């Protein structure tokens, strides 16, 4: 445990998008590229207001579409600018070519993904498949569940992504509606403390500048690609240690662990949030705001004698394999809630389900894993849904799994 | 304790885009005041159709913990909308006719989610007895409050700082001190922006809000049948729905509650040019056997395009929606008694417009 300082923070009501914009202002970003799409849009609305109000001095570039938007920050980042960008759903996918190359060219752009369905007309509610589209191409990916965590994680994203050992872009996902459009009290630390946490962005020998003549992304053909990928993989692995350092430093500088509010204490693990997990026979897994109804349901079911706990994934890339093993190896049944889908995949399960099963595979004694696909397109996963999930998990303590995947509350299937 | 006792909810029903900021700021003030009172509180904006579109009914919510902590409050409130609400604030009296804020859910009564003994507050220049005639009945007693003021409409994206915010807070403090009380409210307002006119607006609304108990069963019949949505096995594949048969309209998605003005037609001057029929983006016009164009008002969103394109001066004129209590079609009224219709037309067209002027809306 690191020692904490007494710091007076301002408490301000803001939603997830406003929290991110304010964090970008604290980080003193240089270039913001914007193009509107719900539910991310209020990030750019808030940034433009901060600029107009004189609170932030940054280039605000409204692009002609998402592809140009992400190209803009990629190039700005390579010439040494700290950048903010973001999108949602198919907007994010429209920029995919630029997004992939941003990672390959190792530009530590910070992108906010207001998670949104892909892209049934009018459905702008949360679904995690948009952000998942980059899970394999070398972005760091975090999922936050409160406005406070959105603020804190944005500051951390700059520190981790820009670290010379990493130089990788960071995507911060927040649930459309449930977080982008929901206001909670956020603690804002004194702005002058940020310099103690976040050093200036310095690309060193990778800065594109007349005094440092380099070429980024020359013709590589088949000769270089394997090595480029190998380096990239190593950088994302190095990010683990850098993330741990960043969270410790955050606590030292700001006097609280990232994600903690005056009323919510965040356990000291950057990668996962364990909750009531010590003696849990049933462990629920989820990402994003589903954690909140999960916690209420877990407390209720604990009162009825169910030994149940939760592990919320905070960082999805790099994936917290060791933490998953540590926290899940004693459980009897793991219930993974996926707000995403992977149609045609093994067992027809969701993305996190597969990652969890894969992480546990090498254990001699491993828990059973059930999968619950739900909350797609912004549908609620209610406290009652979670209670049902816990009961299904409980039934499988001593019985084999015959049906590994359930769809939560889909019309036409029993639930 | 039941869930509905652990969190108290305030629902703010507003018209996008004109009142979006207003609704958000009202919610914010309630959150901060409740927190002054030592209770956890949060707010969230929800909508079906985009609240950036003119007139679309949308909602803002405030959740206030009652003996629970911040995290549980967030847990209960990670919802599309709460099941029941303690207070409903209606920022435009024409919304009392019902709202269609969620696509495919049909037109819902304004007080659908009101808890037993709940409170509904509306901003209006109309009298209490006129407004009571517009509210749907409930099978319990509830309180109806009226803040005498013009509905606050701003232009696109802007916020019209006309003290509506302070008035709404003051009225809630009067009728629901369990949500926010006047002492903490005044403390919050003074802290936020110490200005006498803001504090007196709060106090003025607190002492002057008109209210009365609405008895069980009092009010109009408003039949709301929630739609049965199809199962995945029943739905057509590939996001396909059958076309609405010729001559019919989609019963479940009317969008007529979007309007705060409606077009009135002077059939005596109509030259039957058909432009209204061609241009109406929502296909609200029906050709009559004698070649006029009648309007399906429950589908009209009040965009004003018909009034813009109609080549005859004063043939189609947009009129404030608060002049009408139903969606009766104009052609039928005209046929019934042409002289009376003309008089009536003159009367409603002369009535004062209470809402914002937006260029391109047919006036
Ligand atoms: S105002 Fe006129 S054009 Fe617009 S929806 Fe109504 S009838 Fe159609
Ligand atoms: S546009 Fe005007 S004149 Fe032409 S048919 Fe319609 S109401 Fe009549």
């Amino acid at each position: 445990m690191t020692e904490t300082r007494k710091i007076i923070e301002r408490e301000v009501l803001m939603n997830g998008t406003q929290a991110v914009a304010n964090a970008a202002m604290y980080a003193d970003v240089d270039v913001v590229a914007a193009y509107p799409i719900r539910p991310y849009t209020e990030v750019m609305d808030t940034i433009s207001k901060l600029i107009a109000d004189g609170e932030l001095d940054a280039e605000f570039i409204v692009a002609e579409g998402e592809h140009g938007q992400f190209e803009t920050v990629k190039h700005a980042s390579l010439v040494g600018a700290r950048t903010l960008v973001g999108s949602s759903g198919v907007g994010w996918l429209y920029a995919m070519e630029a997004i992939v190359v941003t990672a390959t060219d190792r530009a530590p752009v910070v992108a906010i993904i207001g998670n949104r369905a892909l892209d049934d007309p009018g459905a702008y509610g949360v679904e995690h498949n948009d952000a998942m589209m980059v899970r394999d191409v070398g972005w760091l990916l975090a999922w936050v569940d409160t406005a406070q965590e959105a603020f804190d994680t944005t500051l951390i994203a700059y520190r981790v992504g820009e670290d010379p050992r990493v130089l990788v872009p960071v995507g911060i996902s927040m649930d459309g509606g449930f977080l982008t459009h929901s206001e909670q009290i956020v603690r804002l630390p004194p702005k002058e403390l940020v310099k103690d946490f976040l050093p200036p962005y310095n690309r060193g020998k990778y800065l594109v500048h007349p005094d440092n003549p380099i070429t980024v992304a020359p013709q590589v053909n088949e000769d270089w690609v394997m090595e480029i990928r190998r380096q990239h993989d190593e950088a994302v692995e190095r990010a683990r240690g850098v993330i741990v350092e960043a969270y410790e430093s955050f606590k030292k500088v700001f006097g609280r662990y990232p994600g903690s509010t005056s009323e919510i204490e965040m356990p000291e693990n950057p990668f996962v949030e364990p909750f009531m997990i010590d003696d849990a026979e049933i462990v629920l897994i989820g990402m994003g705001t589903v954690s909140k109804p999960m916690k209420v349901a877990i407390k209720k079911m604990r009162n009825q004698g169910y030994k149940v706990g939760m592990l919320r994934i905070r960082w999805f890339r790099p994936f917290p394999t060791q933490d998953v093993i540590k926290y899940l190896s004693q459980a009897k049944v793991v219930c993974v809630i996926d707000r995403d889908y992977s149609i045609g995949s093994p067992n027809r399960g969701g993305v996190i389900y597969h990652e969890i099963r894969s992480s546990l595979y090498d254990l001699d004694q491993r828990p059973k894993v059930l999968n619950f696909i739900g909350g797609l397109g912004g549908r609620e996963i209610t406290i009652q849904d979670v209670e049902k999930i816990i009961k299904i998990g409980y039934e499988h303590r001593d019985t084999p799994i015959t049906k590994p995947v359930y769809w939560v509350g889909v019309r036409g299937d029993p639930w | 304790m039941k869930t509905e006792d652990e969190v108290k909810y305030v629902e703010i029903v507003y018209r996008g885009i004109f009142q979006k900021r207003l609704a958000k700021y009202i919610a914010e003030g309630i959150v901060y005041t409740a927190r002054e009172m030592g209770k956890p509180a949060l707010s969230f904006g929800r909508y079906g159709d985009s609240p950036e579109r003119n007139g679309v009914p949308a909602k803002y919510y405030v959740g206030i913990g009652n003996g629970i902590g911040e995290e549980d409050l967030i847990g209960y409130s990670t919802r599309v909308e709460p099941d029941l609400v303690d207070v409903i604030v209606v920022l435009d009296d024409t919304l009392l006719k019902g709202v269609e804020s969620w696509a495919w859910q049909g037109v819902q009564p304004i007080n659908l989610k009101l808890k037993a003994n709940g409170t509904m507050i509306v901003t209006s220049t109309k009298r209490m007895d006129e407004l009571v005639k517009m509210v749907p009945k409930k099978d319990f007693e509830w309180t109806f409050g009226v803040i005498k003021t013009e509905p606050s409409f701003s232009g696109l994206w802007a916020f019209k700082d006309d003290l509506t915010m302070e008035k709404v807070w003051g009225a809630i403090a009067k009728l629901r001190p369990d949500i926010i009380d006047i002492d903490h409210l005044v403390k919050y307002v003074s802290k936020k922006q110490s200005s006498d006119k803001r504090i007196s607006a709060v106090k003025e609304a607190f002492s002057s809000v008109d209210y009365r108990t609405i008895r069980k069963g009092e009010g109009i019949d408003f039949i709301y049948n929630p739609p049965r949505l199809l199962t995945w096995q029943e739905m057509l594949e590939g996001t396909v729905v059958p076309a609405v048969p010729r001559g019919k309209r989609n019963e479940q998605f009317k969008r007529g509650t979007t309007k705060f003005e409606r077009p009135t037609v002077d059939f005596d001057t109509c030259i039957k040019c058909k432009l209204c029929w061609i241009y109406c983006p929502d296909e609200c016009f029906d050709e009559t056997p004698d070649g006029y164009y009648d309007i399906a008002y429950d589908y009209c969103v009040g965009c004003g395009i018909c009034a813009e394109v109609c080549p005859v001066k004063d043939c189609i004129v947009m009129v404030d929606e608060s002049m009408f209590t139903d969606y009766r079609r104009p052609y039928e009224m005209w046929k019934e008694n042409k002289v009376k219709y003309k008089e009536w037309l003159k009367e409603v067209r002369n009535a004062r417009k209470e809402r914002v002027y937006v260029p391109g809306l047919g006036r």
Side-chain angles (χ1 to χ4, degrees):
Chain A
M1 282 267 252
T2 37
E3 211 188 306
T4 56
R5 284 201 260 160
K6 185 95 200 99
I7 285 156
I8 308 292
E9 296 187 290
R10 268 192 316 137
E11 299 207 326
V12 183
L13 186 74
M14 49 177 80
N15 62 33
T17 61
Q18 293 169 316
V20 161
N22 275 276
M25 184 258 286
Y26 268 59
D28 196 16
V29 292
D30 304 306
V31 174
V32 180
Y35 189 79
I37 183 170
R38 273 182 289 161
Y40 129 89
T41 316
E42 210 175 338
V43 175
M44 54 173 265
D45 291 354
T46 311
I47 288 275
S48 60
K49 187 169 189 312
L50 288 169
I51 293 173
D53 291 349
E55 295 197 55
L56 170 66
D57 181 13
E59 282 300 324
F60 187 83
I61 299 166
V62 181
E64 85 297 353
E66 286 88 352
H67 188 275
Q69 183 195 3
F70 280 77
E71 279 294 335
T72 302
V73 287
K74 179 184 76 184
H75 289 271
S77 180
L78 294 174
V79 297
R82 178 169 287 162
T83 58
L84 181 78
V85 71
S87 196
S88 287
V90 286
W92 169 250
L93 266 63
Y94 182 52
M96 201 47 73
E97 187 233 356
I99 287 172
V100 171
V101 181
T102 299
T104 318
D105 293 354
R106 309 284 293 280
V109 160
V110 171
I112 308 305
I113 308 141
N115 299 128
R116 165 175 177 159
L118 299 172
D119 183 63
D120 318 84
Y124 60 89
V126 51
E127 206 172 82
H128 291 164
N129 279 71
D130 53 359
M132 289 290 182
M133 292 288 167
V134 301
R135 68 174 189 160
D136 300 329
V137 296
W139 274 66
L140 306 185
L141 290 176
W143 257 266
V144 297
D145 76 341
T146 58
Q148 183 71 60
E149 204 176 46
F151 178 89
D152 297 348
T153 308
T154 305
L155 285 180
I156 288 166
Y158 286 110
R159 168 150 171 170
V160 172
E162 291 171 3
D163 189 291
R165 293 164 289 179
V166 182
L167 287 179
V168 165
V170 187
I172 300 170
S173 276
M174 67 172 84
D175 290 355
F178 300 128
L179 187 47
T180 57
H181 287 56
S182 301
E183 291 87 17
Q184 302 152 359
I185 293 291
V186 175
R187 294 165 87 182
L188 297 179
K191 202 178 165 207
E192 58 278 9
L193 291 181
V194 174
K195 65 177 184 330
D196 300 336
F197 172 72
L198 186 60
Y201 172 36
N202 181 358
R203 285 185 71 76
K205 64 185 176 197
Y206 296 114
L207 181 72
V208 177
H209 190 274
D211 297 340
N212 182 46
I214 55 169
T215 295
V216 181
Q219 182 90 1
V220 300
N221 293 11
E222 66 278 22
D223 297 329
W224 290 19
V225 174
M226 286 288 287
E227 290 69 25
I228 292 169
R229 300 283 181 271
R230 181 71 185 83
Q231 281 184 334
H232 196 160
D233 177 65
E234 206 60 36
V236 171
E237 188 55 26
R238 280 195 300 268
R240 277 183 211 282
V242 178
I243 290 172
V244 172
E245 280 172 26
Y247 278 67
E248 276 166 9
S249 160
F250 187 106
K251 183 174 175 185
K252 216 181 264 165
V253 173
F254 299 114
R256 58 178 173 78
Y257 202 72
S260 305
T261 70
S262 47
E263 295 170 60
I264 300 171
E265 186 72 24
M266 198 48 69
E268 299 199 4
N269 184 323
F271 299 101
V272 291
E273 182 197 1
F275 177 75
M276 292 194 159
I277 207 167
D278 287 345
D279 62 339
E281 295 179 306
I282 310 296
V283 177
L284 309 183
I285 307 246
M287 286 202 311
T289 58
V290 70
S291 63
K292 298 302 184 205
M294 270 161 84
K295 281 185 175 182
V296 175
I298 287 168
K299 282 191 265 180
K300 284 186 190 249
M301 298 294 272
R302 280 262 170 192
N303 286 339
Q304 295 171 35
Y306 287 85
K307 284 188 180 168
V308 52
M310 173 189 93
L311 193 67
R312 175 172 67 95
I313 311 286
R314 298 174 88 181
W315 283 87
F316 183 75
R317 284 291 182 268
F319 193 78
T321 321
Q322 288 315 314
D323 291 300
V324 164
I325 290 172
K326 176 175 139 200
Y327 285 109
L328 298 188
S329 52
Q330 296 310 312
K332 287 192 171 152
V333 184
V334 176
C335 300
V336 182
I337 301 180
D338 268 289
R339 203 162 219 151
D340 59 68
Y341 48 89
S342 180
I343 292 169
S345 66
N347 284 355
R348 301 159 69 187
V351 175
I352 312 173
Y353 165 71
H354 293 123
E355 304 263 326
I356 297 288
R357 270 176 41 115
S358 165
S359 302
L360 298 173
Y361 182 79
D362 291 326
L363 300 183
D364 295 331
Q365 277 234 308
R366 41 179 190 258
K368 296 170 200 165
V369 186
L370 287 170
N371 190 201
F372 297 85
I373 293 177
L376 303 183
R379 193 164 297 180
E380 296 168 340
I381 296 176
T382 61
I383 294 164
Q384 294 72 30
D385 289 330
V386 181
E387 288 174 353
K388 212 173 263 184
I389 290 169
I390 294 169
K391 283 183 185 151
I392 294 172
Y394 234 69
E395 284 160 19
H396 285 88
R397 280 180 310 165
D398 306 309
T399 52
I401 290 174
T402 48
K403 174 180 154 77
V405 181
Y406 293 77
W407 283 65
V408 177
V410 68
R411 287 192 304 276
D413 286 347
W415 179 248
Chain B
M1 209 171 358
K2 289 216 305 267
T3 308
E4 55 178 89
D5 302 323
E6 292 182 313
V7 187
K8 292 190 175 180
Y9 286 106
V10 178
E11 177 181 80
I12 302 160
V13 191
Y14 69 95
R15 286 206 182 278
I17 177 71
F18 312 112
Q19 300 180 315
K20 191 178 166 194
R21 296 276 144 202
L22 175 64
K24 189 181 170 98
Y25 292 157
I26 290 172
E28 185 179 280
I30 300 170
V31 171
Y32 279 125
T33 306
R35 293 184 70 93
E36 289 267 2
M37 293 164 72
K39 297 182 279 191
L42 46 68
S43 57
F44 45 106
R46 296 289 187 263
Y47 44 83
D49 201 354
S50 167
E52 278 81 44
R53 291 180 186 135
N54 292 352
V56 162
K59 297 179 183 184
Y60 234 98
Y61 291 98
V62 178
I64 300 168
N66 189 22
I68 60 168
E70 179 94 26
E71 191 152 49
D72 287 358
L73 175 64
I74 300 175
Y76 284 123
S77 306
T78 307
R79 301 282 311 272
V80 172
E81 55 176 353
D83 294 328
L84 293 171
V85 300
D86 297 77
V87 176
I88 300 175
V89 176
V90 184
L91 292 177
D92 178 11
D93 54 13
T94 56
L95 290 163
L96 292 178
K97 294 178 194 175
V99 291
E100 195 178 16
S101 46
W102 317 112
W104 299 105
Q105 298 296 324
V107 182
Q108 299 176 335
I110 186 74
N111 53 7
L112 180 69
K113 302 240 162 185
L114 194 65
K115 242 182 233 180
N117 305 313
T119 306
M120 184 160 83
I121 300 168
V122 61
T123 61
S124 178
T125 54
K126 285 194 157 43
R127 290 190 319 271
M128 171 68 83
D129 58 322
E130 291 175 275
L131 293 165
V132 169
K133 284 188 207 133
M134 294 170 75
V135 296
K137 61 168 79 148
K138 302 295 279 183
D139 57 8
F140 49 73
E141 218 175 76
W142 56 282
T143 304
F144 189 33
V146 180
I147 305 169
K148 238 212 161 55
T149 184
E150 279 182 13
S152 176
F153 269 56
S154 64
L156 295 173
W157 299 105
F159 168 60
K160 186 175 175 188
D161 193 2
D162 57 3
L163 303 175
T164 295
M165 219 163 52
E166 285 79 2
K167 290 175 199 167
V168 169
W169 294 332
I172 297 175
K174 171 75 180 194
L175 301 181
R176 293 303 296 261
D178 59 321
I179 302 278
I180 48 172
D181 68 33
I182 187 71
D183 294 343
H184 288 91
L185 176 59
V186 169
K187 209 167 127 199
Y188 161 71
V189 175
S190 337
K191 220 171 23 183
K192 184 169 176 268
Q193 203 180 63
S194 165
S195 127
D196 291 345
K197 78 175 198 281
R198 289 183 191 281
I199 294 167
S200 32
V202 167
K203 290 184 176 161
E204 163 74 20
F206 181 80
S207 54
S208 73
V209 57
D210 191 11
Y211 65 96
R212 83 164 174 82
T213 302
I214 306 293
R215 294 179 311 275
K216 181 175 158 173
E218 187 181 351
I220 58 162
D221 280 314
F222 191 123
I223 295 157
Y224 172 58
N225 297 317
R228 190 186 86 82
L229 298 174
L230 301 179
T231 65
W232 69 265
Q233 297 95 333
E234 293 166 331
M235 286 162 71
L236 290 176
E237 309 229 351
T239 328
V240 169
V241 292
V244 177
R246 193 179 282 269
K248 289 220 159 69
R249 292 188 168 85
N250 185 343
E251 274 300 313
Q252 248 161 39
F253 200 6
K254 295 187 167 174
R255 300 190 67 228
T257 64
T258 298
K259 66 177 160 304
F260 52 89
E261 288 191 324
R262 70 167 72 172
T264 55
V265 189
D266 186 349
F267 295 101
D268 294 330
T269 62
C270 170
I271 56 167
K272 304 183 181 177
C273 72
K274 208 176 187 154
L275 281 178
C276 52
W277 184 92
I278 293 169
Y279 275 92
C280 172
D282 285 80
E283 295 170 14
C284 299
F285 287 89
D286 288 314
E287 192 169 354
T288 66
D290 46 355
Y292 292 102
Y293 294 92
D294 195 13
I295 308 180
Y297 280 135
D298 39 355
Y299 290 86
C300 163
V301 298
C303 70
I305 288 173
C306 52
E308 291 271 321
V309 300
C310 177
V312 181
K313 189 172 181 306
D314 290 342
C315 177
I316 302 187
V317 173
M318 301 301 287
V319 167
D320 202 289
E321 182 63 16
S322 64
M323 298 304 298
F324 310 90
T325 49
D326 57 24
Y327 290 140
R328 215 176 141 209
R329 285 165 167 259
Y331 177 75
E332 180 190 324
M333 287 161 67
W334 178 65
K335 274 283 187 199
E336 220 171 76
N337 187 333
K338 294 187 183 166
V339 179
K340 243 175 93 188
Y341 182 80
K342 194 90 175 181
E343 278 164 19
W344 172 84
L345 209 55
K346 208 164 148 192
E347 187 195 316
V348 292
R349 286 179 174 187
N350 281 337
R352 196 164 57 98
K353 290 194 161 103
E354 292 190 355
R355 287 155 192 82
V356 69
Y357 169 77
V358 182
L361 284 193
R363 21 161 142 149

